[in-house]
Amino acid sequence: MKRLSLSLVLMLLIAFFCMQASCFAEKPESISIGVMGDFSGPYAPVVGPTRPGTLDAWQYLNKEAGGIQGIKLEPILKDMGGKVDVGQSQYNELVSMKPKPIFIDMYITPLAAALRNRFVEDNVVSLVPGAGESLYPVGNSYAYYALYPEQIGVVLKWIKDNWKKKENPKFGIITWDTGYGRAIVTEEFYNWAEKIGVDIVDTQLFGIRDVDLTPQLMKLRAKNPDYLITNSTASGPLAIKKGLKEMGWDIKLINTSGGDWGTAALDPSLFEGDLVALHVKSFDEVDDPSIKTVMTYFTANNRTEKDKSLFYLVGWQVALLEHKILNQVVKDHGWKGLNAENVMKELNNLKDFAPLEGITKMSYSEKRRSPTVARVYKITKGKFLPVTDFVETPDLRPAKFK
Amino acid sequence: MWRPCGVIDETYEQDLAIVRTFPQWTLTVAALGALALLPAYVSGVTLNTVNHIAITIVALHGVNILTGLTGQITLGQAAFMAIGAYSMEMMVRYWGLSFWIATPIAMLITGVAGVIIGLPSLRIKGFYLAMATLAAQFIVPWIIVNVRPDLTGGTDGLTVSPPSIGGLQLTSQESIFYLCATVAVFSTVFARNIARSRYGRAFIAIRDNDIAAEIMGIAVVRYKLLSFFLCSLYAGLAGCLYAIWMRGISVEHFTLHESIWYLGMLIVGGMGSVVGVILGAIMIRSLTILVTYIGPWIAVFLPPGTGTVLELGLGPIVFGVVVLAFLIYEPHGLARIWERFKAFYRLWPYSY
Amino acid sequence: MLFLQYLVAGVLTGGLYGLIGLGIVIIYKSTKVFNFAVGALMTFCALVCVALVTNVGLPFWLALPISLAFAAFLGLLTERVGLRPLLAQPILTLIMATLAIESILYGTMLLFWEGYTISFPQGVLPGQTIFLGPIFIPHEFLYAFIVATACFVLVGVFFFKTQMGLRMRVTAESHVVAMALGINITRIFAMSWMLATVVGALAGIFIGNRLGLQVAITPSLAFKALPAIIFGGLDSLAGAIIGGLTVGILEKMAAGYIDPKVAEITPYIILLLVLLIRPQGLFGEERIERI
């Protein structure tokens, strides 16, 4: 019965979609892309710069890449202000638009996780953060960067490869007690670490609102790790590093996307020598052609120093990806074939897509819905300097969804 | 209970009726009819907000019974909703129960949890009790996240599969609307009846002075706990509806901020009044959505640089100003405005 | 040794909680209003302080008094615009008004600072960690603790030794009695809002120096002080500080000896137990009820 009703609903949806598709089989006037995020709430320090990033990228794509066969692309920005119910309503507004946007970018994990099934039902493709629960089991969601444990994995592998001493390198985890922070504390991650021969000696959690981390840091120091690992951003790494400095413990911190330029700019001297895994090129590689293009728009639109962060580049990356996919689908199937199925087919076959002369690399497949590269950066004199090129991340998907 | 001049009850049934006169009946039927036809003339987006308002009304009736009638301030309604939503989804997921069976059980579980949290109310009063319920707001999410993360999904939360009725899955906003609206209407009738029953009068006596109530022979302990039970029952029901409306739950949906605003909606609407509950929920929920349009709308008329900033900040400012202005204009809530309006049109065109 | 270190950390963080709590208690004591806007107010003032240091370029010791003066003004404004028109209305309506004010302040902060984390330039608080044998005392927290103690003493002297303080205490006792004695209670309300906002601003500046300031996250830090003030009693100044210290120590002990995961809820569990034994908090005034 359940399967029957499900297939019935699916058939209805498909029929509905076909009706919709025939409505705009002609060239549309513009193609809209839904961009949803928490641009003013608690996640804003991280994802806030996506707004300018997205706007600048679409400006570039419409101006220099000619949109999609001359049709302009229009991002529709929605700020949910940290309120999930407002976000849900904005999502409904986006999917009831005509023509419906095929891509909906989510810069907010709880909402992306809650709406995972809705993406499938509403026939939209969503780009979500690299947290496992918003991706798996696979639906219509794709991550814009590798899963958080996979990003850490790249750094761990690099340290292990350059490890001179006889005994295994030792790591302590200190991370936020939230869905985001705990995303790296997975069984797969621990097993993999054991397999490549690094020791995770201790795991400590701390709250977003903790001002002092003495007990956690004391416990970690007792285990004597060589590096600390965290998956937190803005105030999180700041509190850790301040605590470390105060107790006179000189140890380097490893962070994922959360440890980007925005976080390091809070107090550059504290983050000196830390390792960060990011999936894009660095703002500090000023001679790189891709960064040059980005920076032209950055300065032309009077973006401030605060916008210089990872999610500004993520805004670019997502826009470039969507442009490429939409262009390809329209080329292969015509305007009639511009639907979620074809878009997903195209995405699943994407291999090593390196837009803008290689600002990042993206590959997706049917089963693996997150890009598989990251780069290790070392913060030297406040600059993010790469110590590796883009390297393949380990595959740390939740085991049951492999 | 006030009634229009010249309406005289002749039987006990008439005296007990909520809907008394012919015009009232006409209006009630018309309003229910309009509600039933609502999906036909509003868009899916509006309907989505209407659904959220309906869910809020259900939860708010609970707050009203506890805070408005019994006078026990609660800051934990969202936590109770979380208990309801999680227990429903977990029963559906792991025991394979259907939504229709799981919901009443989830409501009962929430009710029992509410009684436990309500135990301190036997000794604590006023704002101190609010803080005790606030403790629930911190402890409940903690339990959900930490005790059995394998079952509750930990911080990741759970996705909720839509319930089905006779082979039809409730996925569209229309179908959810009919469910939520029906539940909201019935819970309104139930809340209205509670208020004028023996229980309701006992609640009010406790609110006005619990020592006096005890002297008059009201079992204060029993009624306080009953009030907590009823409040949580409503919260559990609202939580279940929220889960299928949102299609996914995690602790980040049931925040302290939500709980505080449940109390806020009640105050804006009017304490202890069923009309107030409905008006308060409608006002705050729709205002929250409406202000998100104000920023982008105004930003169009401004130079590009300032526009983006205004887009973010203007919403909360307008929201706060409107709420504050309403409070200053009518400190007793929207329900009082409604009362005044009723008195006005009954007497019109005479002044008294 | 570990115990001593946890104790030091607990006492120092507790001082910060006590400082926030003091701001809430001052308002509750004289107006019976629970101020939900306390977090937004303290964040706003701290952000102004950062702006004075980074954007205007003032030295910190000059920016601090200016931002405190701003805090006093902001407190006055809040009282005058938001709460004065609601004088003599039900208490819950006034509490609701503070919620509305919180929303207005949040929006205003977004206009100026958007959603980014704003941090103080490094080293605005001079000095470095003090090591006492194996025990370390972070100087930033030490400053906060000293300021909290100083605030507590000053507010205490103000309340118990001055004419104005006497008036405030009478107002706290009963608004009607105060008015009958010829006390201008609206002035008392304005005074207590100013005082409370200044105390809150100090807390905000220390927090901002520690974690950076963000318009949506920093205000929620004020909720950490809630168990502290309930613990000590909503209307007791000494209770706020002692409650703050107790909660701080409990939190660090729980994090140290049990699990950091339980640190955040331990104060609440203890709070429930305390409330069951002493419903008015440890130092709260016991009200004799009459019919």
Side-chain angles (χ1 to χ4, degrees):
Chain A
M1 197 66 216
K2 212 171 188 180
R3 190 167 297 166
L4 190 78
S5 55
L6 193 76
S7 55
L8 205 75
V9 168
L10 269 176
M11 264 161 63
L12 273 172
L13 274 169
I14 291 165
F16 183 62
F17 191 83
C18 291
M19 260 165 60
Q20 288 243 308
S22 60
C23 289
F24 70 102
E26 295 298 305
K27 273 188 185 180
E29 283 184 10
S30 69
I31 297 175
S32 38
I33 307 281
V35 181
M36 301 186 57
D38 181 8
F39 302 129
S40 62
Y43 291 84
V46 206
V47 299
T50 325
R51 265 168 84 87
T54 309
L55 290 172
D56 292 359
W58 290 117
Q59 195 189 356
Y60 161 82
L61 289 170
N62 285 332
K63 218 157 87 188
E64 291 185 29
I68 288 163
Q69 301 191 350
I71 305 294
K72 280 219 157 110
L73 289 154
E74 197 189 353
I76 299 169
L77 292 156
K78 293 276 174 199
D79 167 31
M80 45 87 82
K83 298 189 193 78
V84 187
D85 48 322
V86 174
Q88 201 256 19
S89 148
Q90 288 172 338
Y91 169 77
N92 274 306
E93 194 189 332
L94 283 175
V95 292
S96 63
M97 272 172 53
K98 281 189 183 121
K100 184 166 62 177
I102 291 178
F103 277 112
I104 294 193
D105 311 342
M106 289 268 166
Y107 298 104
I108 170 88
T109 311
L111 191 65
L115 293 177
R116 201 177 62 210
N117 291 345
R118 288 285 306 271
F119 301 144
V120 183
E121 285 161 25
D122 297 328
N123 243 306
V124 292
V125 178
S126 179
L127 284 147
V128 300
E133 81 276 10
S134 52
L135 278 176
Y136 299 106
V138 288
N140 286 16
S141 310
Y142 292 83
Y144 30 74
Y145 45 61
L147 297 183
Y148 295 114
E150 298 180 346
Q151 297 182 20
I152 295 282
V154 170
V155 187
L156 258 53
K157 192 93 179 60
W158 178 75
I159 291 174
K160 175 72 185 171
D161 290 346
N162 295 304
W163 197 247
K164 301 274 171 352
K165 286 183 217 158
K166 214 170 170 191
E167 66 269 30
N168 286 341
K170 286 186 284 188
F171 296 89
I173 297 180
I174 176 163
T175 190
W176 263 350
D177 190 9
T178 60
Y180 164 58
R182 285 188 185 199
I184 57 166
V185 194
T186 63
E187 215 175 304
E188 290 77 26
F189 179 66
Y190 286 99
N191 293 343
W192 176 82
E194 204 185 318
K195 214 174 72 191
I196 67 158
V198 299
D199 298 340
I200 309 283
V201 288
D202 198 9
T203 304
Q204 296 288 335
L205 300 171
F206 67 102
I208 281 192
R209 295 183 301 220
D210 281 357
V211 281
D212 172 83
L213 308 178
T214 309
Q216 285 92 332
L217 294 175
M218 291 293 284
K219 282 182 176 177
L220 280 168
R221 186 157 72 174
K223 299 277 172 63
N224 197 24
D226 299 303
Y227 286 94
L228 289 183
I229 298 173
T230 187
N231 193 32
S232 57
T233 183
S235 64
L238 195 65
I240 298 174
K241 289 304 273 192
K242 282 212 166 178
L244 288 173
K245 190 183 164 193
E246 279 160 3
M247 63 198 286
W249 184 18
D250 187 27
I251 185 168
K252 299 301 173 212
L253 189 68
I254 299 169
N255 205 341
T256 59
S257 312
D260 68 332
W261 295 268
T263 303
L266 292 177
D267 196 340
S269 66
L270 276 181
F271 294 100
E272 191 62 32
D274 282 356
L275 296 169
V276 181
L278 300 176
H279 68 293
V280 286
K281 282 196 175 154
S282 165
F283 276 112
D284 302 312
E285 296 167 77
V286 279
D287 298 326
D288 191 274
S290 51
I291 293 297
K292 262 186 185 162
T293 318
V294 170
M295 287 312 280
T296 337
Y297 282 84
F298 190 92
T299 37
N301 290 322
N302 293 325
R303 303 302 179 198
T304 58
E305 208 51 26
K306 289 199 189 72
D307 292 324
K308 226 181 201 182
S309 86
L310 176 72
F311 270 80
Y312 179 82
L313 292 179
V314 169
W316 273 83
Q317 174 208 348
V318 169
L320 290 163
L321 171 72
E322 286 167 353
H323 175 255
K324 146 99 182 168
I325 296 292
L326 289 174
N327 223 348
Q328 197 62 43
V329 169
V330 170
K331 209 184 272 171
D332 293 352
H333 306 271
W335 288 105
K336 230 174 199 150
L338 190 59
N339 55 32
E341 282 92 69
N342 285 337
V343 163
M344 278 176 59
K345 225 178 274 166
E346 204 61 55
L347 273 169
N348 288 340
N349 295 327
L350 199 70
K351 277 278 162 301
D352 288 334
F353 170 55
L356 219 61
E357 300 176 55
I359 192 160
T360 180
K361 263 191 203 167
M362 281 173 274
S363 318
Y364 295 106
S365 67
E366 175 66 40
K367 283 274 173 191
R368 192 162 180 197
R369 295 295 179 82
S370 53
T372 54
V373 292
R375 240 178 173 193
V376 183
Y377 285 98
K378 189 170 201 164
I379 306 175
T380 343
K381 296 200 181 96
K383 287 193 174 2
F384 280 63
L385 301 181
V387 292
T388 67
D389 202 4
F390 288 116
V391 279
E392 201 71 12
T393 62
D395 184 0
L396 299 179
R397 278 177 285 168
K400 47 187 169 170
F401 305 126
K402 270 195 183 169
Chain B
M1 195 178 289
W2 292 30
R3 67 199 61 169
C5 211
V7 179
I8 295 152
D9 299 324
E10 284 163 356
T11 59
Y12 283 117
E13 285 74 30
Q14 270 178 356
D15 194 42
L16 283 173
I18 296 182
V19 184
R20 292 165 171 281
T21 57
F22 181 70
Q24 276 181 342
W25 268 112
T26 330
L27 278 175
T28 312
V29 172
L32 286 178
L35 199 62
L37 290 176
L38 195 67
Y41 52 88
V42 299
S43 70
V45 184
T46 319
L47 207 56
N48 183 53
T49 310
V50 172
N51 289 344
H52 196 202
I53 290 173
I55 295 165
T56 311
I57 287 174
V58 176
L60 212 51
H61 277 311
V63 184
N64 189 33
I65 288 172
L66 188 57
T67 307
L69 295 183
T70 324
Q72 315 290 310
I73 303 172
T74 172
L75 287 176
Q77 191 72 351
F80 292 135
M81 280 176 71
I83 298 179
Y86 266 94
S87 42
M88 184 276 287
E89 176 54 23
M90 279 158 72
M91 276 187 278
V92 170
R93 186 173 283 236
Y94 302 112
W95 294 349
L97 295 181
S98 85
F99 171 79
W100 313 105
I101 299 166
T103 300
I105 304 174
M107 282 165 68
L108 282 178
I109 293 173
T110 320
V112 173
V115 171
I116 294 167
I117 296 292
L119 281 176
S121 75
L122 306 180
R123 276 182 67 88
I124 316 170
K125 282 174 194 170
F127 220 76
Y128 287 99
L129 177 66
M131 293 300 145
T133 54
L134 183 91
Q137 185 62 50
F138 284 86
I139 294 169
V140 167
W142 188 87
I143 291 173
I144 290 172
V145 168
N146 288 302
V147 175
R148 286 300 297 273
D150 51 328
L151 295 182
T152 57
T155 46
D156 301 347
L158 299 167
T159 49
V160 178
S161 45
S164 58
I165 183 164
L168 172 77
Q169 280 200 313
L170 301 185
T171 47
S172 69
Q173 287 303 327
E174 284 80 19
S175 50
I176 296 175
F177 167 76
Y178 283 115
L179 175 63
C180 290
T182 318
V183 172
V185 167
F186 276 106
S187 55
T188 306
V189 173
F190 186 67
R192 185 79 189 77
N193 277 330
I194 283 271
R196 44 188 219 130
S197 68
R198 187 161 67 104
Y199 303 101
R201 304 214 192 280
F203 290 158
I204 293 170
I206 292 172
R207 173 189 70 189
D208 291 345
N209 191 321
D210 54 351
I211 298 174
E214 200 163 8
I215 292 168
M216 289 192 323
I218 293 168
V220 173
V221 173
R222 214 174 71 202
Y223 280 107
K224 270 188 180 172
L225 291 182
L226 179 69
S227 174
F228 266 96
F229 180 73
L230 284 171
C231 170
S232 316
L233 218 55
Y234 272 110
L237 181 56
C240 296
L241 291 178
Y242 182 91
I244 61 162
W245 173 73
M246 190 49 132
R247 302 293 307 282
I249 44 173
S250 78
V251 287
E252 300 203 31
H253 297 227
F254 306 101
T255 54
L256 174 61
H257 194 261
E258 275 290 298
S259 281
I260 294 174
W261 272 103
Y262 275 118
L263 189 60
M265 279 183 240
L266 189 61
I267 297 166
V268 169
M271 281 288 209
S273 142
V274 169
V275 179
V277 164
I278 296 169
L279 293 179
I282 292 176
M283 171 167 165
I284 298 293
R285 286 298 185 214
S286 39
L287 196 61
T288 315
I289 300 290
L290 283 179
V291 293
T292 57
Y293 293 100
I294 287 176
W297 180 68
I298 290 185
V300 176
F301 302 104
L302 293 164
T306 51
T308 42
V309 179
L310 276 183
E311 231 171 277
L312 300 177
L314 219 53
I317 294 181
V318 173
F319 182 84
V321 168
V322 170
V323 171
L324 195 60
F326 258 103
L327 283 177
I328 291 172
Y329 174 65
E330 184 48 79
H332 293 274
L334 297 167
R336 188 62 71 87
I337 298 178
W338 173 243
E339 293 285 323
R340 279 211 305 262
F341 170 71
K342 266 203 314 207
F344 166 77
Y345 84 74
R346 275 185 187 155
L347 295 172
W348 194 82
Y350 307 107
S351 53
Y352 55 86
Chain C
M1 201 43 49
L2 216 51
F3 177 79
L4 270 180
Q5 182 64 60
Y6 293 160
L7 193 68
V8 167
V11 166
L12 293 181
T13 15
L16 212 48
Y17 295 162
L19 203 53
I20 305 170
L22 196 59
I24 301 174
V25 166
I26 290 172
I27 290 177
Y28 186 85
K29 202 171 162 61
S30 60
T31 65
K32 293 280 173 292
V33 171
F34 185 87
N35 180 14
F36 274 114
V38 63
L41 283 168
M42 80 181 193
T43 314
F44 203 144
C45 300
L47 280 168
V48 166
C49 187
V50 181
L52 286 173
V53 174
T54 50
N55 299 10
V56 183
L58 295 179
F60 180 68
W61 56 266
L62 197 60
L64 183 67
I66 296 176
S67 55
L68 291 186
F70 172 79
F73 169 71
L74 192 64
L76 189 68
L77 192 73
T78 311
E79 200 275 336
R80 192 69 197 79
V81 176
L83 294 146
R84 187 72 64 82
L86 291 170
L87 210 62
Q89 296 299 348
I91 285 299
L92 277 172
T93 309
L94 286 152
I95 293 173
M96 182 66 217
T98 65
L99 269 177
I101 289 163
E102 194 237 343
S103 182
I104 297 174
L105 288 171
Y106 171 61
T108 317
M109 284 191 281
L110 276 177
L111 287 188
F112 291 104
W113 290 280
E114 299 179 47
Y116 302 115
T117 306
I118 313 283
S119 66
F120 273 92
Q122 58 203 98
V124 288
L125 295 175
Q128 47 185 304
T129 316
I130 301 161
F131 287 93
L132 292 175
I135 307 288
F136 61 89
I137 304 171
H139 68 286
E140 286 176 1
F141 277 111
L142 198 60
Y143 279 119
F145 185 73
I146 291 167
V147 167
T149 323
C151 272
F152 170 58
V153 171
L154 283 177
V155 171
V157 167
F158 177 76
F159 261 78
F160 292 98
K161 294 286 175 211
T162 65
Q163 187 79 42
M164 193 70 191
L166 185 65
R167 288 191 195 140
M168 284 181 119
R169 278 189 291 147
V170 176
T171 316
E173 196 59 40
S174 160
H175 294 174
V176 180
V177 170
M179 281 194 284
L181 289 171
I183 295 168
N184 186 351
I185 64 162
T186 51
R187 189 175 294 168
I188 301 288
F189 288 174
M191 192 76 193
S192 47
W193 270 88
M194 281 164 71
L195 202 61
T197 317
V198 169
V199 171
L202 280 169
I205 287 166
F206 284 116
I207 290 171
N209 195 37
R210 187 84 197 156
L211 295 179
L213 294 156
Q214 204 268 342
V215 292
I217 296 173
T218 317
S220 69
L221 262 147
F223 288 121
K224 288 220 118 178
L226 286 180
I229 49 171
I230 302 294
F231 215 74
L234 268 167
D235 47 8
S236 158
L237 297 174
I241 294 291
I242 296 172
L245 294 182
T246 321
V247 169
I249 294 169
L250 273 174
E251 209 177 84
K252 294 301 156 208
M253 292 297 166
Y257 288 109
I258 309 170
D259 193 330
K261 276 195 282 188
V262 301
E264 195 154 354
I265 62 156
T266 311
Y268 287 96
I269 292 169
I270 306 285
L271 167 75
L272 275 180
L273 293 177
V274 167
L275 284 180
L276 278 176
I277 298 159
R278 268 188 73 84
Q280 65 281 358
L282 282 180
F283 299 91
E285 212 170 315
E286 196 167 353
R287 295 260 166 202
I288 298 162
E289 286 190 57
R290 284 183 266 196
I291 299 169

